[in-house]
Amino acid sequence: METNINTFEQLKKECIERGKEIYEVAQENMAINSDLKVEQVRAHANRSLFAMKEAIQVGLVSKELSMSGMCGQDCHRIQERFKEQPALFGGTFEKILKYALATSEENIRMGRIVACPTAGSCGILPAAMLSVAEDCDCSIEAQLNALITAGEIGRIVAAKVALAGAVAGCQAECGVASSMAAAAVCQLRGGSINQILNASALALKNILGLTCDPVAGLVEVPCVKRNPFLAVHAITAVELALAGVESKIPFDEVVDAMEQTGAMMSPTLKESSQAGLATTKTGLEVQKRVFG
Amino acid sequence: MKKTTLYDVIAPVMIGPSSSHTAGAVRLGLLARNIYKNTPKKVIFKLYNSYAHTGKGHGTEKGLLAGVLGLKVDDRQIKDIFNSDIAKTLEYKFEYCDNFKYHPNAVDMTFIGDNSKMFISGESVGAGEIAIRKINDFTVKLTGKYNTVLIVYKDMPGMLSQVTSTMQYHNINIASLFCDRNAKGKQASMVISVDGELTPDIISTIEEIPNVYFVSYIEKLEN
């Protein structure tokens, strides 16, 4: 039994050899490596799951602006709009957008969220996973399985690339969050190990190169609105993977490509706010207004 | 090699908006508090680079202060910490500066008590992970992930083996070990992270080793 898994190839092999699903291997290894019981690992995940739901509930009803005043009311706007005119793609789609905005707006007003994998990308996984879980009547245990599956995906990516905009751009934050969300939703929808890994690989592959150029250095523009975009992005990957569509580039190699792209990305586009959206005419005006 | 666990990617539950600038700041304050042990009278925070420039928009100052006051990363009091009653128990000051030799998210904390002063320097290395790099004159590396003991002693042969054999005797496994000295034959420091806990009797056994000047047991952070 291998408890030190650092690639998706190893993970797949281990799942097959143990005859277990991704979340089972993940929670067993976590328990062994940290001197915990599997139930304790799941209890910790449950704490995150609960906090995700709480953040959504609080975020849905708040209209408080962020410290800069740039963000904080888009979730309210979209709810008002859906009351008058439902979204084209149905109720689950509406929930995904609402939940992603609710969570990421809670984040920027110093509310309580779950970094998943980071604070700036905190709305992506909860929005995709919990919208689907609610509308497909998934049990708490099934939601925990999905969350732990997602965690294992993020953990293995992080074994190669630090999940920080300053290291590899937003592909390593919102991109990885979307990849994790795809794994969670695919798990909820009964996807096989192969389908889960393909869903995750497809989601990550299609966001490679995403820069981190936040206006005034704040986790607000474009971060908040990027959350609903990338939550929906994850669902696209899941639908493709469940249909048997495969990533032609194996997941481990997609991660290698992300690492290389991140290393080659100009430091001005990696959380330093020295280029891109941050240095547009309006971006600089905002910076001056906020920080003087 | 860095070891990311499942918990690092589906947690922590934290107050936003930034894992490095908010949660990381709280954890730096908390770990510094664990190092200093007592509640100080005054703390001077010196923020560097990105912490200095964008800290205000991320609640970095609030996070640092909240941590020093013992609040956890998910405590809703962080948001209004400057107006809270617990913040009135402490004198604090923030300074800002640029220094390219420092990490982009670095902070120096000077803890001032009645008869003591301690300098602690740390950085927020990303995704809420932190590292304390300096305590007074000694280079250290503390991440808050393990229970850790800091030992200051006379630089001479055999000190390391005396400490490690004490741990071996108590069946304590060492996760990492870091040594430094300010000059040959002068003061030296070792920072030993362990699996599990060190009980008070193990700490006092180490304190009784000849030529050990100072021992501090630094408990790991909860999340």
Side-chain angles (χ1 to χ4, degrees):
Chain A
M1 196 162 98
E2 179 57 72
T3 55
N4 183 23
I5 294 175
N6 290 309
T7 68
F8 291 106
E9 207 44 53
Q10 284 176 339
L11 175 65
K12 197 156 84 179
K13 184 164 163 272
E14 202 58 25
C15 287
I16 292 165
E17 279 176 11
R18 290 192 216 176
K20 291 193 166 157
E21 296 200 58
I22 292 172
Y23 74 86
E24 291 174 303
V25 169
Q27 66 195 18
E28 280 175 16
N29 284 358
M30 175 75 198
I32 292 165
N33 291 329
S34 305
D35 287 327
L36 298 167
K37 294 193 176 80
V38 166
E39 300 79 62
Q40 289 174 300
V41 175
R42 289 180 72 82
H44 195 97
N46 194 37
R47 190 169 164 253
S48 291
L49 185 66
F50 181 85
M52 286 174 177
K53 293 175 183 178
E54 189 193 45
I56 289 171
Q57 292 314 315
V58 178
L60 282 174
V61 293
S62 177
K63 283 197 275 181
E64 186 187 329
L65 290 168
S66 65
M67 284 172 275
S68 75
M70 278 193 289
C71 304
Q73 299 186 334
D74 291 340
C75 187
H76 173 72
R77 278 191 191 96
I78 202 160
Q79 290 182 85
E80 291 301 307
R81 190 236 160 187
F82 289 152
K83 274 184 210 157
E84 286 172 22
Q85 189 182 31
L88 202 54
F89 298 149
T92 309
F93 181 74
E94 285 184 9
K95 271 188 190 170
I96 294 171
L97 301 191
K98 283 192 295 188
Y99 289 1
L101 283 171
T103 309
S104 54
E105 288 187 348
E106 250 325 89
N107 182 49
I108 50 104
R109 57 173 80 100
M110 291 193 85
R112 184 155 64 200
I113 54 87
V114 182
C116 193
T118 61
S121 60
C122 67
I124 296 168
L125 184 141
M129 181 177 80
L130 296 174
S131 304
V132 172
E134 280 177 23
D135 289 0
C136 297
D137 286 326
C138 300
S139 67
I140 296 288
E141 291 306 314
Q143 294 171 36
L144 284 175
N145 298 347
L147 181 58
I148 292 167
T149 304
E152 185 69 353
I153 301 298
R155 187 191 68 77
I156 293 176
V157 176
K160 222 171 249 174
V161 193
L163 305 184
V167 176
C170 194
Q171 53 173 3
E173 295 207 23
C174 287
V176 172
S178 190
S179 181
M180 290 167 63
V185 174
C186 201
Q187 166 70 31
L188 283 179
R189 300 290 287 151
S192 66
I193 291 161
N194 255 329
Q195 286 170 331
I196 292 168
L197 294 179
N198 272 298
S200 279
L202 287 168
L204 188 61
K205 196 171 76 171
N206 283 282
I207 207 68
L208 290 184
L210 193 67
T211 63
C212 177
D213 54 357
V215 169
L218 299 171
V219 196
E220 299 190 17
V221 176
C223 321
V224 170
K225 289 188 278 283
R226 192 163 280 174
N227 276 259
F229 276 105
L230 283 169
V232 173
H233 180 90
I235 304 295
T236 309
V238 173
E239 294 298 352
L240 289 170
L242 288 175
V245 175
E246 294 190 338
S247 172
K248 294 295 178 207
I249 308 297
F251 199 174
D252 288 312
E253 295 177 36
V254 173
V255 178
D256 290 340
M258 183 180 98
E259 183 189 19
Q260 187 197 37
T261 306
M264 293 172 81
M265 198 181 280
S266 164
T268 59
L269 291 166
K270 289 192 281 194
E271 218 179 325
S272 59
S273 299
Q274 292 170 339
L277 293 170
T279 54
T280 55
K281 180 170 163 285
T282 305
L284 291 171
E285 281 168 12
V286 170
Q287 179 161 10
K288 203 166 175 211
R289 179 171 59 74
V290 177
F291 293 115
Chain B
M1 191 195 143
K2 65 178 181 290
K3 274 260 187 273
T4 304
T5 73
L6 206 55
Y7 290 176
D8 296 321
V9 281
I10 55 171
V13 179
M14 58 167 273
I15 298 302
S18 163
S19 38
S20 57
H21 284 62
T22 324
V26 178
R27 299 181 86 240
L28 280 165
L30 270 173
L31 192 53
R33 175 193 169 92
N34 286 0
I35 294 166
Y36 184 76
K37 296 267 188 306
N38 303 314
T39 306
K41 283 207 141 156
K42 182 176 179 180
V43 180
I44 301 166
F45 301 94
K46 193 168 185 180
L47 282 69
Y48 290 89
N49 306 333
S50 174
Y51 256 25
H53 292 291
T54 67
K56 276 212 171 55
H58 289 120
T60 302
E61 292 99 329
K62 291 179 183 176
L64 288 167
L65 179 63
V68 166
L69 291 166
L71 300 189
K72 306 274 161 51
V73 293
D74 64 345
D75 197 311
R76 289 195 190 275
Q77 292 181 83
I78 294 169
K79 186 174 177 178
D80 292 314
I81 190 73
F82 291 140
N83 300 317
S84 74
D85 285 341
I86 51 166
K88 292 181 185 118
T89 62
L90 179 76
E91 201 184 324
Y92 54 89
K93 190 171 131 191
F94 294 98
E95 295 171 356
Y96 306 89
C97 77
D98 275 310
N99 187 334
F100 71 93
K101 286 179 186 163
Y102 276 70
H103 187 275
N105 301 328
V107 60
D108 289 342
M109 292 170 269
T110 307
F111 283 62
I112 301 161
D114 280 330
N115 306 307
S116 64
K117 196 168 173 180
M118 190 182 264
F119 173 85
I120 300 169
S121 179
E123 44 199 54
S124 177
V125 297
E129 301 295 311
I130 57 158
I132 297 289
R133 300 289 190 191
K134 222 164 188 190
I135 300 175
N136 291 336
D137 285 338
F138 293 106
T139 302
V140 297
K141 194 190 172 207
L142 284 172
T143 62
K145 286 188 171 179
Y146 294 92
N147 288 320
T148 301
V149 62
L150 165 70
I151 304 161
V152 179
Y153 56 97
K154 183 174 164 61
D155 182 46
M156 58 187 280
M159 296 303 285
L160 189 57
S161 75
Q162 289 188 71
V163 172
T164 54
S165 58
T166 303
M167 295 204 178
Q168 184 188 7
Y169 178 77
H170 291 276
N171 201 27
I172 298 289
N173 188 42
I174 293 174
S176 74
L177 189 153
F178 186 91
C179 293
D180 187 31
R181 66 177 182 193
N182 53 16
K184 190 178 176 190
K186 304 284 186 187
Q187 278 196 356
S189 69
M190 57 179 115
V191 177
I192 303 177
S193 298
V194 301
D195 292 324
E197 288 171 19
L198 293 182
T199 52
D201 60 304
I202 305 178
I203 297 295
S204 53
T205 308
I206 296 171
E207 279 170 339
E208 283 159 17
I209 296 172
N211 294 307
V212 164
Y213 302 137
F214 171 78
V215 180
S216 175
Y217 182 50
I218 302 154
E219 284 179 47
K220 67 178 174 182
L221 300 178
E222 274 173 39
N223 51 20

